[in-house]
Amino acid sequence: GESVGLHLPTLSVQEGDNSIINCAYSNSASDYFIWYKQESGKGPQFIIDIRSNMDKRQGQRVTVLLNKTVKHLSLQIAATQPGDSAVYFCAETRGSQGNLIFGKGTKLSVKP
Amino acid sequence: DSGVTQTPKHLITATGQRVTLRCSPRSGDLSVYWYQQSLDQGLQFLIQYYNGEERAKGNILERFSAQQFPDLHSELNLSSLELGDSALYFCASSWEPGAYEQYFGPGTRLTVT
């Protein structure tokens, strides 16, 4: 079965607000957790990753938090913009082969 | 634009047929990955190649096969097609094998009727 999943299938936020997209995982052996963004009609695009021995990592307007105690991953987007509207996938990778195991995705809609 | 190209963009075919999907990785990338995206199964890893050699297999059916050529482009062959094979097929590439930062192409939408 799938070990990476999402709490909510859809999320609607107002432009300028912060967005939080959540993800649960079940495999403690995962090495990296990654967030991908998929805009309509396009392939997924890498956003940010976090190694399993870290709790937090920040990028440009995005922050990923990893809580290993409850096996929970979140992506925070600051000052959400219309261009952030997309489906967001969390993924995990294990071992040297690095195959990505994707969750089902959360659709983020940004209201102007 | 990720630099990964896939052809064709759309493909409509009948059950029982065979199709070939083509992928050209980003310039300089040696690794190619194939994924299937469907509504019921989500985004699933199929197979990975590195510099012409198969490196890892995922949920790839026996009716499906792939290869990576000396010029590093890759082809995914789908045979004895079934209605359930209708999906988006993505190719991704990276320079090093097993990289989690992969560059995805725009996908090929396969419809089996």
Side-chain angles (χ1 to χ4, degrees):
Chain A
E2 196 171 78
S3 67
V4 179
L6 294 163
H7 291 317
L8 297 172
T10 60
L11 177 65
S12 184
V13 300
Q14 202 71 36
E15 181 178 357
D17 288 351
N18 295 335
S19 303
I20 300 176
I21 301 171
N22 296 303
C23 179
Y25 67 93
S26 59
N27 194 319
S28 301
S30 296
D31 298 313
Y32 283 89
F33 297 91
I34 309 101
W35 284 99
Y36 273 81
K37 168 187 179 183
Q38 185 175 20
E39 296 175 35
S40 180
K42 296 184 178 181
Q45 179 184 9
F46 173 87
I47 302 173
I48 192 169
D49 65 273
I50 186 167
R51 192 167 179 163
S52 58
N53 63 355
M54 298 172 65
D55 298 320
K56 180 179 179 179
R57 186 155 189 227
Q58 286 185 293
Q60 188 177 11
R61 280 202 307 120
V62 295
T63 300
V64 57
L65 299 177
L66 178 62
N67 186 329
K68 293 178 285 294
T69 303
V70 295
K71 297 182 182 176
H72 183 267
L73 183 71
S74 69
L75 177 71
Q76 300 178 1
I77 304 174
T80 313
Q81 302 168 0
D84 295 326
S85 293
V87 176
Y88 289 80
F89 294 94
C90 63
E92 61 178 299
T93 182
R94 304 170 202 156
S96 60
Q97 292 182 332
N99 302 327
L100 294 174
I101 302 166
F102 284 89
K104 289 244 184 252
T106 293
K107 183 175 181 179
L108 175 65
S109 297
V110 182
K111 295 177 286 187
Chain B
D1 184 3
S2 67
V4 177
T5 60
Q6 289 187 248
T7 56
K9 193 173 178 64
H10 301 279
L11 198 50
I12 302 174
T13 189
T15 54
Q17 295 298 305
R18 173 189 168 95
V19 296
T20 297
L21 312 183
R22 183 188 169 100
C23 167
S24 292
R26 278 190 330 160
S27 178
D29 283 356
L30 300 177
S31 295
V32 168
Y33 314 78
W34 285 98
Y35 293 86
Q36 180 193 59
Q37 186 174 40
S38 61
L39 285 175
D40 56 342
Q41 294 294 321
L43 194 58
Q44 292 214 327
F45 166 73
L46 295 178
I47 197 163
Q48 177 191 159
Y49 279 82
Y50 174 70
N51 205 20
E53 298 292 324
E54 181 186 303
R55 190 169 184 273
K57 266 187 175 180
N59 300 322
I60 188 166
L61 299 172
E62 285 191 10
R63 299 184 286 109
F64 296 0
S65 65
Q67 57 185 136
Q68 186 180 26
F69 294 88
D71 67 352
L72 301 176
H73 91 272
S74 178
E75 292 181 355
L76 179 66
N77 300 296
L78 315 176
S79 62
S80 302
L81 285 167
E82 302 174 0
L83 296 176
D85 297 327
S86 295
L88 267 169
Y89 291 84
F90 287 104
C91 167
S93 74
S94 66
W95 178 74
E96 58 183 353
Y100 48 85
E101 183 174 356
Q102 298 173 14
Y103 295 86
F104 281 75
T108 293
R109 181 172 292 281
L110 173 67
T111 303
V112 183
T113 61

